[in-house]
């Protein structure tokens, strides 16, 4: 799902995890990571170059960091 902002995720970000995924030719969300200093930012935003605006893009951000290109998605289940 694409939007105008990078999507904050509850997963902790780990450089080695994504490097391992890339070497295997896949990019998956991390699992069983209970600690870290950065949270996953998924996708791209209006602020990024076009090459970074893809749903598989992952980067990390400190949980307390705020920027106008960061956001989150809400899910409503009736």
């Amino acid at each position: 799902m694409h939007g105008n902002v990078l999507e904050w995720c509850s997963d902790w970000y780990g450089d080695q995890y994504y490097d391992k995924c890339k070497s295997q030719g896949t990019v998956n969300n991390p699992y069983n990571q209970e600690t870290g200093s950065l949270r996953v930012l998924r996708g791209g935003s209006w602020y990024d170059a076009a090459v970074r605006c893809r749903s598989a893009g992952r980067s990390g951000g400190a949980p307390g960091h705020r920027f106008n290109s960061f956001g989150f998605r809400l899910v409503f289940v009736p």
Side-chain angles (χ1 to χ4, degrees):
M1 179 183 282
H2 286 291
N4 292 328
V5 296
L6 287 159
E7 181 182 356
W8 276 114
C9 298
S10 62
D11 302 320
W12 291 103
Y13 179 81
D15 285 329
Q16 292 83 19
Y17 181 82
Y18 290 106
D19 289 341
K20 181 180 174 184
C21 286
K22 288 177 188 176
S23 70
Q24 295 173 353
T26 63
V27 179
N28 299 308
N29 285 325
Y31 56 92
N32 296 330
Q33 288 189 204
E34 297 178 7
T35 61
S37 59
L38 302 175
R39 294 282 187 174
V40 172
L41 285 164
R42 181 169 57 187
S45 77
W46 62 270
Y47 188 76
D48 291 320
V51 71
R52 294 203 47 194
C53 292
R54 57 192 200 102
S55 59
R58 301 289 187 273
S59 59
H65 185 73
R66 302 292 179 257
F67 193 66
N68 59 6
S69 67
F70 298 170
F72 58 92
R73 300 201 188 281
L74 299 176
V75 176
F76 174 72
V77 179

